[in-house]
Amino acid sequence: MSQWWKEQVVYQIYPRSFMDTNDDGVGDIPGIISKLDEIRSLGAGVIWLSPVYKSPDADNGYDISDYRSIDPKFGTMADMEMLISQAKARGIKIVMDLVINHTSDEHEWFQKSRDKDSPYRDYYIWRPGKPGGKPPNNWTGFFTGTVWEYDGQSGEYYLHLFHKKQPDLNYKNQKVVEEIKEIMRFWLDKGVGGFRCDVINIIYKSSLEDGKYQVVARGIEHYQSQEGAHRILKELRRDVLAHYDCFTVGESVMVDLDGAKQLSDPERGELDMVFYFDHLEVDRVVARYIPKKFRAVKLLQVLTKWQQGLDWNALYLENHDQPRIVSHYGDDGVFRERSAKLLATMLFTLRGTPFIYQGQEIGMTNFDFTELSQLRDVESYNIDKLIRSFFVPARIRWNWIRTASRDNARTPVQWSAEPGAGFTGGEPWLGVNANYKDINYREQQGRPDSVLNYYKQMVALRASNDTLKYGKFIPLYAKAGVIAYSRVLGEEEYTTILNFSGKPARAAGTGPVVASNIGRDSFDGSLSPWEAVVLGKLVDGRGKVFRPVPPSVSPVP
Ligand code: TEU
Ligand code: CA
């Protein structure tokens, strides 16, 4: 089947924060429909929709209580069908979020499984406790704390790697796999273009032995990328996905390059692409919450590893779990617009399918909250509790939470300078950033040099250019804040030079400018603060190659 998804740009929507049409403060499906033209004008051909299924919202929809219905706060199934067809009319496919590691505890399967004699008992992972009222093993979850919850009704514990309202399904039970196949067919038959598969590499628990010591996700060696998960992915592909023109991108937790290769190797027939986290953790210790210094040299190393290691990458800098990239790797102060464009330059000159997260295309920043009580994310509260138990002082705690909280990405999209940022006429479920008066879609739409218009240019540049899509990635140079790499296809070559710093810098090389975040039309080797430039290689009238940039760009002292 054709690999159309390699040609496309994907736009991720987190529905509750996207656009509210009935002023209840929560984004909805009619809101998405009302913005389809904006998404089309950006040049995206796919929308990945974070969950809109029925859910009690213990984890904002990642706890599903019915996979075949739409939660009333988002609209109706008719709205959903309308969205699919309205998107289709604009050449856009909708991709659903497939959250199948766990369900909500309010899902009927789980409710039935609380009865020991029910055929649904084995849909989940139930175990008796250890003597002395201790849980069945020492595992800890992604949201911290034990993964076991005791259920008085049947006198046993059930496993939950995330929130206790997100019980894990038992993938040793073939009936569960068959249920999932039916759910996938249900949505594919409605015309969706594929799935983003939530934490897909951890669905299969090989054993429930105690885990090696670590604070968060203790026990992961028993469920990360197990043979069982690979086998199930192959089966889902063979029995379901292969019969539709669709793609899958799998979120893969704590995966290394070899693991990601296995999951996305076309020969193996599992996933089409994987999301990994390495490139966003250059300035983090172990996981997101403990900061260390950002080094551009390290970033280029990580990019090179994945660009050369995988045949095809899922390229992303933001999603609903990550801080805003301009606040993370860029400068959300004086150089906000310029650094946001630099990050866009990087995103669209790497090899893979680019993903844009809502608001990224206008350079939205992290939230401006000043205390924990303004946050909604369950993870932030749990992390705070955890690090408090290690006696981390309040100020440092808040600093960590503030920079890494998932709510950074979840504040409402800033559409205009009207009250509620044009997102809602009511009280938003999570506070709007006060900078909406300066940073909003409408203002940027009307300004040629805006971040929004730069995104549009970069999407268009990639779309029209096979070298940027399919060219080989070659790292050229990294020093201090500057990195350079090129993309090569046959005789064609493009070089990207990025200055990740607020200081001027130099990088040798002159030549025709294909993209510039400061509106240059020629380049002489001197870089402004946060400057990004893409240089092209041209072929002259006689077919002779003109190399504007030496193959290895070297620093000029
Ligand atoms: O995220 C899983 C995941 O591993 C992390 O990114 C997660 O956010 C957690 O912070 C690890 O510290 C996926 C979803 O994207 C996330 O929104 C859900 O909360 C989670 O799965 C459970 O479904
Ligand atoms: Ca609403």
Side-chain angles (χ1 to χ4, degrees):
M1 231 169 276
S2 89
Q3 297 187 319
W4 52 268
W5 39 272
K6 290 192 171 176
E7 296 281 322
Q8 297 297 337
V9 169
V10 184
Y11 188 84
Q12 184 194 348
I13 290 182
Y14 194 64
R16 77 192 57 224
S17 303
F18 188 66
M19 179 66 198
D20 176 22
T21 54
N22 61 352
D23 293 346
D24 64 354
V26 179
D28 41 52
I29 295 172
I32 301 173
I33 297 173
S34 76
K35 298 292 185 187
L36 283 173
D37 287 332
E38 281 79 353
I39 296 167
R40 184 63 261 176
S41 78
L42 182 59
V46 180
I47 291 173
W48 148 28
L49 214 56
S50 278
V52 288
Y53 317 94
K54 201 148 189 289
S55 165
D57 276 345
D59 186 21
N60 285 2
Y62 283 86
D63 49 319
I64 300 170
S65 53
D66 182 354
Y67 290 87
R68 292 181 178 80
S69 67
I70 300 297
D71 197 282
K73 66 181 161 291
F74 294 128
T76 62
M77 187 57 87
D79 292 330
M80 186 65 210
E81 282 161 0
M82 174 73 91
L83 172 61
I84 294 170
S85 69
Q86 288 288 311
K88 187 173 176 202
R90 291 166 177 81
I92 299 173
K93 297 190 201 232
I94 303 289
V95 159
M96 299 295 273
D97 213 313
L98 193 69
V99 187
I100 58 170
N101 176 67
H102 43 266
T103 68
S104 164
D105 65 335
E106 295 179 32
H107 194 290
E108 81 169 296
W109 300 338
F110 186 77
Q111 286 307 319
K112 289 184 176 153
S113 93
R114 294 178 65 200
D115 171 359
K116 267 188 157 165
D117 301 321
S118 160
Y120 288 92
R121 183 68 171 178
D122 206 26
Y123 271 42
Y124 296 86
I125 301 168
W126 290 96
R127 289 292 181 281
K130 281 193 184 152
K134 291 235 258 348
N137 69 25
N138 71 354
W139 296 7
T140 57
F142 288 90
F143 295 157
T144 78
T146 177
V147 298
W148 296 100
E149 180 72 12
Y150 184 74
D151 180 53
Q153 185 177 321
S154 58
E156 287 189 340
Y157 291 79
Y158 65 87
L159 177 93
H160 62 92
L161 293 182
F162 293 88
H163 194 277
K164 65 175 184 219
K165 284 181 70 63
Q166 293 168 299
D168 283 49
L169 285 164
N170 174 19
Y171 279 91
K172 289 189 170 169
N173 182 352
Q174 184 61 24
K175 281 197 209 131
V176 170
V177 182
E178 298 305 325
E179 296 269 15
I180 300 301
K181 289 181 194 168
E182 283 306 313
I183 291 166
M184 292 169 79
R185 290 188 190 106
F186 174 86
W187 286 103
L188 289 163
D189 288 338
K190 285 200 183 291
V192 309
F195 300 101
R196 175 265 185 189
C197 310
D198 193 62
V199 297
I200 198 68
N201 66 325
I202 62 172
I203 58 173
Y204 190 88
K205 284 79 185 170
S206 291
S207 92
L208 297 175
E209 301 287 300
D210 275 348
K212 289 198 297 264
Y213 182 80
Q214 62 184 48
V215 177
V216 171
R218 186 184 309 150
I220 192 165
E221 65 273 24
H222 300 289
Y223 58 79
Q224 202 259 101
S225 301
Q226 303 293 298
E227 222 15 76
H230 290 297
R231 198 192 63 236
I232 290 164
L233 283 170
K234 288 193 184 91
E235 188 177 325
L236 296 179
R237 161 82 68 131
R238 185 197 65 209
D239 292 354
V240 182
L241 298 160
H243 305 280
Y244 297 84
D245 190 13
C246 66
F247 79 93
T248 52
V249 51
E251 185 198 31
S252 307
V253 180
M254 302 206 188
V255 80
D256 60 9
L257 180 61
D258 281 333
K261 258 191 202 162
Q262 292 191 358
L263 288 164
S264 63
D265 177 358
E267 300 288 300
R268 293 170 57 101
E270 298 181 22
L271 297 161
D272 293 307
M273 290 181 269
V274 293
F275 287 131
Y276 48 84
F277 299 88
D278 245 18
H279 64 301
L280 294 177
E281 289 171 356
V282 167
D283 61 347
R284 293 288 183 263
V285 180
V286 199
R288 275 200 335 281
Y289 282 90
I290 308 176
K292 71 175 187 210
K293 197 174 152 38
F294 172 85
R295 288 166 54 236
V297 178
K298 179 78 206 286
L299 177 63
L300 185 63
Q301 276 167 8
V302 172
L303 290 177
T304 303
K305 171 177 153 192
W306 290 93
Q307 284 281 299
Q308 298 190 331
L310 286 186
D311 179 57
W312 195 256
N313 279 267
L315 305 168
Y316 77 101
L317 298 173
E318 288 185 20
N319 63 33
H320 62 291
D321 295 333
Q322 294 287 333
R324 291 290 186 177
I325 198 65
V326 71
S327 300
H328 184 190
Y329 285 174
D331 172 354
D332 63 7
V334 204
F335 292 112
R336 187 185 61 82
E337 291 230 329
R338 200 188 284 179
S339 62
K341 292 176 191 171
L342 172 140
L343 292 157
T345 312
M346 181 169 92
L347 183 64
F348 291 99
T349 55
L350 294 171
R351 181 183 158 98
T353 300
F355 288 69
I356 302 171
Y357 176 69
Q358 65 184 37
Q360 181 182 342
E361 76 277 29
I362 57 170
M364 275 180 63
T365 64
N366 280 355
F367 61 57
D368 55 355
F369 302 141
T370 52
E371 53 180 318
L372 193 62
S373 67
Q374 292 167 294
L375 273 56
R376 296 285 168 268
D377 183 20
V378 50
E379 183 188 84
S380 297
Y381 286 90
N382 288 1
I383 295 280
D384 185 68
K385 214 189 303 166
L386 176 74
I387 56 187
R388 203 165 48 202
S389 74
F390 288 99
F391 304 104
V392 177
R395 201 177 44 83
I396 298 181
R397 275 189 346 250
W398 172 243
N399 251 337
W400 288 356
I401 300 286
R402 188 175 59 81
T403 48
S405 171
R406 306 195 297 182
D407 277 349
N408 280 306
R410 299 178 180 184
T411 62
V413 171
Q414 297 164 200
W415 292 106
S416 73
E418 286 158 30
F423 160 75
T424 184
E427 189 60 37
W429 74 275
L430 178 69
V432 171
N433 193 314
N435 66 20
Y436 74 95
K437 291 194 178 130
D438 298 320
I439 307 173
N440 65 68
Y441 195 93
R442 186 174 303 155
E443 186 278 328
Q444 297 199 17
Q445 225 172 353
R447 182 162 53 84
D449 71 345
S450 64
V451 177
L452 176 63
N453 280 313
Y454 192 80
Y455 264 87
K456 290 185 184 176
Q457 285 159 29
M458 291 307 297
V459 174
L461 176 65
R462 178 185 183 274
S464 65
N465 191 303
D466 276 351
T467 303
L468 288 182
K469 275 185 291 210
Y470 297 108
K472 230 169 64 185
F473 174 93
I474 299 172
L476 295 178
Y477 165 69
K479 189 163 185 209
V482 179
I483 67 174
Y485 54 83
S486 65
R487 300 288 308 286
V488 180
L489 188 69
E491 287 293 285
E492 232 178 48
E493 175 169 348
Y494 291 89
T495 298
T496 300
I497 306 174
L498 307 169
N499 180 11
F500 279 87
S501 90
K503 298 194 206 94
R506 289 188 64 77
T510 55
V513 171
V514 177
S516 160
N517 67 343
I518 59 166
R520 275 187 189 281
D521 42 35
S522 70
F523 182 68
D524 63 3
S526 56
L527 293 161
S528 300
W530 292 104
E531 178 168 354
V533 65
V534 183
L535 302 172
K537 173 182 171 183
L538 300 183
V539 179
D540 72 13
R542 283 167 299 155
K544 202 166 155 261
V545 172
F546 164 62
R547 247 178 206 282
V549 184
S552 100
V553 181
S554 54
V556 179

